[in-house]
Amino acid sequence: MFDLKGKHALIFGVASEESIAWAIAKKLHAAGAIISLGYQQRFKSRILQLVKGGDVPVELYERCDVTSEDELTNFFGQIERPVDILVHSIAYANPETFGQRISQVGQEDFATALVTSSYSLIPLARHAAPKMSPSASIMAMTYLGGQRVVANYKLMGIAKAALDATVRELASDVGPQGVRVNAISAGPIRTLAASQIEGFDNMLKVYEQVAPMRRCISQDDVGDLAIFLGSDMSKNITGQVLFVDSGYSTLAMAELPKD
Ligand code: NAD
């Protein structure tokens, strides 16, 4: 139904087979897109395994730490094909901050989390700009903790709030060039990044018990929305946060399960 034939997708944020970004790569490829990957050097061996696995033919894979201007320049210098889709699926905070009260977070940890998880969308969009095709689509992965307090999300909640605002500002900035920018707000999914969050298993249980759909979501559900956002069917949607969360974000007061 959604045809991405010939569209070129740059995907940032694959670290393992469980990464949301890898599910997006598989889904976009299945819909006809050509896939290139930018990865963090520490995950190189996993990337090589995934690429050799052959599930997704990868046109170009190259290290790209989004906080390094040199790596960004080198990565985008190698991109020859016009870019139709750019996926930002990146977050990082010092693991120590996950167990820390927000009132105790230091300036350096705050800056690291926000530069990597929020600001990085800006240099990615800036480097991609000369190669972007008209009507290109940029998407970033966010979480409800950027809009409301979610237990144990803490500093990453502030980073996601900044990311959501960055999405809106960028959408306004690049809209006149025909480029759209949106965020996908996914429910909790077991991944490397999620394993840093204290009580993550409880989050899954809460979603299963009280979300309107009474179930958790999968990486593939996010990939399906990414197909839509990458396709021309979403050509007039920009600056939005779209939820894939079994409806959890609609709740203010959930009913406790009866048994
Ligand atoms: P993941 O650990 O597989 O992905 C996180 C990625 O961020 C990794 O690939 C890592 O290499 C990359 N990254 C971190 N710092 C980087 C840097 N300096 N340069 C380049 N890449 C860097 O985990 P995931 O759950 O797939 O996370 C992907 C995105 O989805 C994140 O933004 C996360 O906050 C968001 N998200 C995850 C969930 C969840 O429950 N898993 C829910 C909502 C949103």
Side-chain angles (χ1 to χ4, degrees), residues 13 15 19-20 40 43 65-66 89-90 141-142 160 186 188-189 191 193:
S19 290
I20 292 172
Q40 222 180 352
F43 296 116
D65 187 310
V66 293
S89 189
I90 289 171
M141 301 305 128
T142 190
K160 290 304 188 194
I189 305 171
T191 63

Side-chain angles (χ1 to χ4, degrees), residues 30-53:
I34 298 156
I35 306 297
S36 294
L37 302 178
Y39 60 87
Q40 222 180 352
Q41 184 64 4
R42 66 191 177 112
F43 296 116
K44 184 176 181 182
S45 60
R46 292 190 197 213
I47 299 294
L48 290 178
Q49 271 174 5
L50 289 174
V51 171
K52 279 190 192 144

Side-chain angles (χ1 to χ4, degrees), residues 10 24 28 84-89 121 137-141 167 180-184 222-223 225-231:
L10 296 189
I24 292 175
L28 296 187
D84 303 285
I85 300 169
L86 191 153
V87 177
H88 175 288
S89 189
L121 185 61
S137 173
I138 298 176
M139 61 193 91
M141 301 305 128
V167 163
R180 59 197 190 279
V181 189
N182 291 289
I184 298 179
V222 182
L225 180 52
I227 293 176
F228 169 66
L229 285 178
S231 81

